[in-house]
Amino acid sequence: MPLNKYIQDGDNQDLTDERFKATFDTDALGAVFHGGEDALKRVREIRDELTKRGHLFDALPAAHRTRAERMEDVSRKLKNLMENVSEFADFSNNLDMLAIIRDVMGIEGFPLALHNLMFVPTIQNQADDEQTLATLSEINRITGTNLSAIETTATYDKSTEEFIIHTPTTTATKWWPGGLGTSCTHVILVANLIIDSKNYGLHPFFVPIRDRNSYSQMSGVRVGDIGTKMGVNCVDNGFLAFDNYRIPRRNMLMKHSKVSKEGVYTAPSHPKVGYTTMLYMRSEMLTHQSYYLAMAMAISIRYSAVRRQGEIKPGTQEVQILDYQTQQYRLFPGLARCFAFVTAAATVRQMTESCIKELSHGNSDVLADLHALSCGLKAVVTHQSSQSIDQARQACGGHGYSDASYLPTLYTCSVGACTYEGENMVMLLQLSKYLMKAAAKAEAGAEMAPLVAYLAVSDPIENGDKFGKLLNHFEHIARHRVMHAYHQMIEEEKHGIERDYAFANHSVDWTKAARAHTKLFMARGFVKKVQEIQNEAVHDVLNTLAELYLSYELIEMSSDLTANGYLSETEVQTIRHQIYDCMRKIRPNAVSIVDSFDICDRELRSVLGRRDGHVYENLYKWAQMSPLNQKNLPHVEKYLKPMTSKL
């Protein structure tokens, strides 16, 4: 039996030939990508159940529908899904719901999408037991990137035991939260708690904004949709403002902070316990980005095996474009990043769950480390994922620009994450503040947290194995960038510049340091994951992908390698050649690697990335479904016909 389990009779012959080249079992690698054999099996079980329920799926591609029609489509599917989901899936199980949403809804979102992703974790981690039972059926969470600048207030009125929610200025209007435009009836609002004219800082409040039956907005609430966006237009992002709107005292989430009937405030055990939802959200974002990138790689690499163009030597047969080294250089680093990102996502998810458990016991020791790490990963992964997806789009030529490829949708969904849940530059600067403190400890010889312990050691002697040497280079770059930024800042302080300004004057260097620190974490994690793989054939493939990942990322920072004579140009060139060697090793397995992601055609929504490889006949069918191919189009009848008839 072939090692690639996706071979079927009648497929495109080039794609079939590629699949017969597999040196590993695609199911075994798929289990690694999905987080275990049980997880992969469960995804397939969900898919089989969904296949039995054809009414959950669309007849027309979303690209051929207006925004209003698409919102109606996803709302209909959501209603139908909620009526059926309990028959075959657990609504509270994140794995089940992700598999269902990807298959039925796609990646552009849907009304109430934030319910499980943000609302439920917030209630579970910040509401007391009584509030948890009372509120889990509602929806959404409203906050912002610049928390210190939030203006919305929640002023406690002792006489009525109510909070008065107020938006004091136009700039204080909440803008962007998903589901706010038309869908949600309740939000978790982050606002400044005011008691007896004293501001106790930001706290979460459970706030009804629409009547659950009529969907009319409450008196004192201004809410609506903000309009179309670059992408993710099946989510109704909205605006929200309040005019002295009253809610009961118990609508403040009181697991950590409390306000008594008399207005007595009880502070939380740690000032940042409210970060737990954000940490959970970021770990999920990493998972989503890994999946978006995997989809893009599946589409572009399959298409590159089907598409033939040009001759390497004049007079010979046209070659598969995947044979061109330039095409491999565009795609294979992104393929390696899929595994680096999904490994980082799993690691951070485990760390977040552990942190939340520790917080429930009053231990917040790892919170600062995890928050800083999540900032860096959010920034680096979303940037690199969108970057690699756009390379995949360009690698597919003109067809990659068509919505039929689904690559434009993947790109806009991925690149949007560079901004939401924390703009990437802000995230890097938050990590930089953490690294600044770590650098000071390293200089003072103080005890270091494990994630930054490398700052306190000098460059190690080159005596490790292949991965050991490459990881040494990552450590050198991160250490050099962090300490360089720190020393530059300290030098300015010596000349009378205040620290905040000194930090700002070297913020570019600090963001570069933050990126290097984050890349070191991912490189270490990827190598560790590879070393844990027992299946020899799968280990060999992942070993090559990890070597490609490390070598490629190092060459992206090659100026740091030659700075101050750390490596010679010849040594850097050796690392560059490792990239090309890895690409040659990956080439025969490329299609089988993306097959192992186990993304079905319904999920992929791409004519170019079809499993059977029959691209061109289906591209024509896709185009025929365009509404512009109907007769008697209004713009033709009203304007073009009268205009051309006079020519």
Side-chain angles (χ1 to χ4, degrees):
M1 183 177 178
L3 290 171
N4 187 313
K5 302 302 189 296
Y6 298 83
I7 296 172
Q8 293 185 23
D9 292 337
D11 288 352
N12 174 278
Q13 190 58 50
D14 280 333
L15 213 50
T16 297
D17 292 344
E18 292 292 332
R19 287 170 171 147
F20 272 114
K21 297 175 185 176
T23 63
F24 64 93
D25 186 318
T26 49
D27 282 355
L29 183 57
V32 174
F33 182 78
H34 284 274
E37 293 180 3
D38 289 343
L40 178 59
K41 179 182 177 182
R42 184 57 181 156
V43 167
R44 290 173 173 174
E45 289 172 350
I46 293 290
R47 184 182 300 152
D48 290 343
E49 290 294 331
L50 290 172
T51 301
K52 300 173 185 176
R53 297 164 172 82
H55 65 288
L56 294 174
F57 301 98
D58 295 323
L60 280 176
H64 295 329
R65 305 281 280 170
T66 66
R67 186 185 180 212
E69 289 171 335
R70 289 158 76 177
M71 289 292 293
E72 183 176 354
D73 289 342
V74 293
S75 298
R76 169 184 48 80
K77 290 190 290 186
L78 179 62
K79 178 179 180 293
N80 291 340
L81 191 58
M82 291 302 100
E83 292 171 350
N84 289 264
V85 69
S86 61
E87 298 172 4
F88 61 93
D90 179 0
F91 186 79
S92 65
N93 184 289
N94 193 46
L95 176 64
D96 283 13
M97 293 312 297
L98 279 177
I100 292 169
I101 289 166
R102 289 168 178 168
D103 200 335
V104 178
M105 299 295 186
I107 66 169
E108 284 198 279
F110 56 95
L112 315 186
L114 293 183
H115 184 81
N116 270 28
L117 190 57
M118 293 189 73
F119 184 87
V120 172
T122 300
I123 294 295
Q124 291 172 333
N125 296 317
Q126 298 193 45
D128 62 29
D129 292 343
E130 180 185 341
Q131 291 174 319
T132 299
L133 290 172
T135 58
L136 272 180
S137 62
E138 315 299 352
I139 190 68
N140 226 319
R141 180 175 186 268
I142 311 298
T143 180
T145 297
N146 186 4
L147 299 181
S148 63
I150 287 178
E151 300 175 71
T152 303
T153 57
T155 304
Y156 185 58
D157 183 346
K158 298 176 189 176
S159 65
T160 61
E161 296 183 27
E162 292 176 315
F163 289 103
I164 304 170
I165 310 295
H166 187 60
T167 305
T169 64
T170 301
T171 57
T173 302
K174 305 297 182 182
W175 200 273
W176 278 109
L180 189 60
T182 64
S183 307
C184 70
T185 58
H186 293 68
V187 302
I188 294 174
L189 175 77
V190 177
N192 288 286
L193 170 62
I194 310 294
I195 305 174
D196 294 332
S197 300
K198 181 178 179 180
N199 190 333
Y200 287 87
L202 300 176
H203 289 72
F205 298 85
F206 179 68
V207 184
I209 61 170
R210 291 185 176 96
D211 182 273
R212 294 185 64 181
N213 297 314
S214 69
Y215 257 74
S216 299
Q217 63 190 48
M218 300 293 197
S219 177
V221 174
R222 287 173 280 140
V223 62
D225 184 76
I226 65 170
T228 55
K229 311 171 292 289
M230 182 176 175
V232 201
N233 280 303
C234 289
V235 174
D236 50 328
N237 298 82
F239 62 83
L240 177 66
F242 299 93
D243 298 316
N244 294 308
Y245 180 64
R246 289 177 174 266
I247 60 173
R249 177 183 66 89
R250 288 290 290 161
N251 279 35
M252 173 180 159
L253 302 188
M254 296 194 188
K255 182 174 184 177
H256 302 295
S257 306
K258 294 176 172 56
V259 174
S260 71
K261 293 180 180 180
E262 297 75 23
V264 177
Y265 176 73
T266 303
S269 59
H270 190 281
K272 294 185 178 180
V273 290
Y275 282 22
T276 52
T277 301
M278 179 176 58
L279 293 173
Y280 175 80
M281 176 66 172
R282 288 179 187 163
S283 71
E284 290 301 301
M285 286 178 69
L286 301 181
T287 301
H288 293 318
Q289 291 292 317
S290 306
Y291 187 78
Y292 298 161
L293 183 54
M295 292 176 72
M297 290 299 111
I299 294 165
S300 55
I301 287 176
R302 284 176 178 171
Y303 179 66
S304 295
V306 169
R307 173 68 170 161
R308 288 181 175 270
Q309 185 174 11
E311 305 165 342
I312 293 179
K313 180 181 179 180
T316 59
Q317 183 184 13
E318 281 198 312
V319 299
Q320 295 164 286
I321 61 174
L322 194 57
D323 285 334
Y324 289 109
Q325 188 187 57
T326 50
Q327 190 79 346
Q328 295 169 21
Y329 196 78
R330 268 182 159 174
L331 297 177
F332 291 176
L335 184 59
R337 281 174 172 173
C338 289
F339 290 94
F341 294 172
V342 79
T343 301
T347 302
V348 171
R349 190 182 309 113
Q350 293 168 0
M351 293 172 67
T352 299
E353 290 170 355
S354 176
C355 177
I356 291 172
K357 187 180 295 183
E358 290 296 314
L359 282 171
S360 68
H361 295 99
N363 182 4
S364 58
D365 292 347
V366 299
L367 185 58
D369 295 343
L370 182 55
H371 172 249
L373 176 63
S374 73
C375 287
L377 285 170
K378 189 272 179 189
V380 172
V381 169
T382 56
H383 172 73
Q384 290 192 335
S385 178
S386 58
Q387 184 184 57
S388 293
I389 290 171
D390 194 45
Q391 280 299 301
R393 179 191 64 77
Q394 294 182 47
C396 291
H399 290 322
Y401 195 69
S402 167
D403 277 328
S405 72
Y406 207 56
L407 290 167
T409 299
L410 284 165
Y411 176 73
T412 54
C413 288
S414 178
V415 79
C418 292
T419 304
Y420 66 71
E421 287 308 305
E423 194 278 327
N424 278 358
M425 207 56 67
V426 175
M427 295 295 96
L428 291 171
L429 290 171
Q430 287 191 20
L431 171 55
S432 297
K433 293 288 182 69
Y434 170 85
L435 293 174
M436 177 182 69
K437 295 175 183 177
K441 287 184 178 181
E443 290 275 272
E447 184 178 356
M448 306 288 289
L451 289 175
V452 288
Y454 69 92
L455 294 175
V457 299
S458 57
D459 285 330
I461 301 173
E462 291 283 347
N463 59 1
D465 60 10
K466 172 181 64 181
F467 285 136
K469 291 178 180 179
L470 293 175
L471 288 175
N472 284 345
H473 300 333
F474 275 91
E475 282 194 13
H476 168 80
I477 293 172
R479 181 168 44 248
H480 172 75
R481 287 188 178 184
V482 170
M483 299 313 295
H484 172 75
Y486 179 73
H487 290 144
Q488 291 285 98
M489 185 187 72
I490 294 300
E491 193 62 30
E492 287 212 359
E493 285 190 69
K494 290 178 180 178
H495 290 82
I497 305 296
E498 293 180 22
R499 168 152 295 196
D500 288 343
Y501 290 104
F503 178 87
N505 289 343
H506 296 283
S507 55
V508 172
D509 286 338
W510 275 118
T511 58
K512 290 180 179 180
R515 290 189 189 97
H517 172 80
T518 305
K519 290 179 181 180
L520 169 61
F521 174 83
M522 289 196 291
R524 284 173 169 170
F526 196 177
V527 169
K528 182 175 181 292
K529 182 66 177 178
V530 171
Q531 293 170 342
E532 294 170 353
I533 301 299
Q534 299 297 313
N535 183 306
E536 185 175 349
V538 171
H539 177 275
D540 289 345
V541 171
L542 285 174
N543 189 76
T544 303
L545 286 166
E547 184 179 353
L548 171 61
Y549 174 76
L550 268 64
S551 301
Y552 183 84
E553 298 297 341
L554 285 172
I555 290 302
E556 290 285 287
M557 303 182 288
S558 58
S559 61
D560 293 83
L561 293 174
T562 55
N564 301 316
Y566 172 71
L567 290 184
S568 67
E569 288 289 347
T570 301
E571 290 172 312
V572 172
Q573 194 66 11
T574 298
I575 298 174
R576 183 173 284 109
H577 282 295
Q578 286 177 222
I579 297 174
Y580 307 143
D581 289 341
C582 289
M583 293 193 313
R584 279 191 289 271
K585 293 176 183 176
I586 291 168
R587 170 62 187 90
N589 276 317
V591 168
S592 294
I593 292 171
V594 298
D595 283 349
S596 73
F597 296 147
D598 198 60
I599 306 170
C600 72
D601 284 350
R602 274 201 317 255
E603 295 173 79
L604 211 53
R605 290 169 168 79
S606 172
V607 177
L608 302 193
R610 293 172 58 94
R611 187 211 56 78
D612 61 15
H614 294 315
V615 172
Y616 298 106
E617 54 268 59
N618 285 289
L619 195 60
Y620 182 66
K621 290 178 182 177
W622 187 92
Q624 286 179 310
M625 288 187 278
S626 169
L628 291 184
N629 287 321
Q630 298 175 3
K631 295 181 179 179
N632 303 317
L633 294 170
H635 73 280
V636 174
E637 299 298 324
K638 290 181 180 179
Y639 306 111
L640 299 186
K641 274 187 179 181
M643 181 177 65
T644 55
S645 66
K646 296 178 181 179
L647 296 178

